[in-house]
Amino acid sequence: MFKAGFNLSTDSHLDAAIHNKAYVGVFQRNKKGILEQICDGGVIESHCEISVKMAGGYFLKENCVFRIV
């Protein structure tokens, strides 16, 4: 459904990624504003209002960018 590099920016995108078992990477901006990958990726297990659960951890939506890899 999604192509590599697509940002999962809405709850609907996250739901679709879960449904399709899409491989997702987690990125975060460093102090210089450059986007860096902080998690090699995995399949999203679940998400709520504030976080996404995947790869054995929780990632805050407000701090991270979730991207199809």
Side-chain angles (χ1 to χ4, degrees):
M1 177 176 183
F2 300 118
K3 293 184 180 183
F6 184 84
N7 286 342
L8 303 171
S9 56
T10 67
D11 287 343
S12 296
H13 291 158
L14 293 169
D15 289 336
I18 291 169
H19 178 74
N20 292 311
K21 295 180 176 42
Y23 199 76
V24 177
V26 183
F27 298 79
Q28 193 171 40
R29 296 212 179 269
N30 65 17
K31 291 180 182 179
K32 295 181 180 180
I34 299 169
L35 205 57
E36 294 180 332
Q37 190 166 2
I38 61 169
C39 177
D40 288 334
V43 176
I44 297 173
E45 298 171 36
S46 63
H47 72 95
C48 66
E49 292 178 26
I50 60 171
S51 67
V52 173
K53 181 181 179 186
M54 64 178 285
Y58 291 87
F59 301 92
L60 295 177
K61 289 180 178 179
E62 69 180 46
N63 296 337
C64 299
V65 174
F66 303 93
R67 183 179 288 172
I68 301 296
V69 291

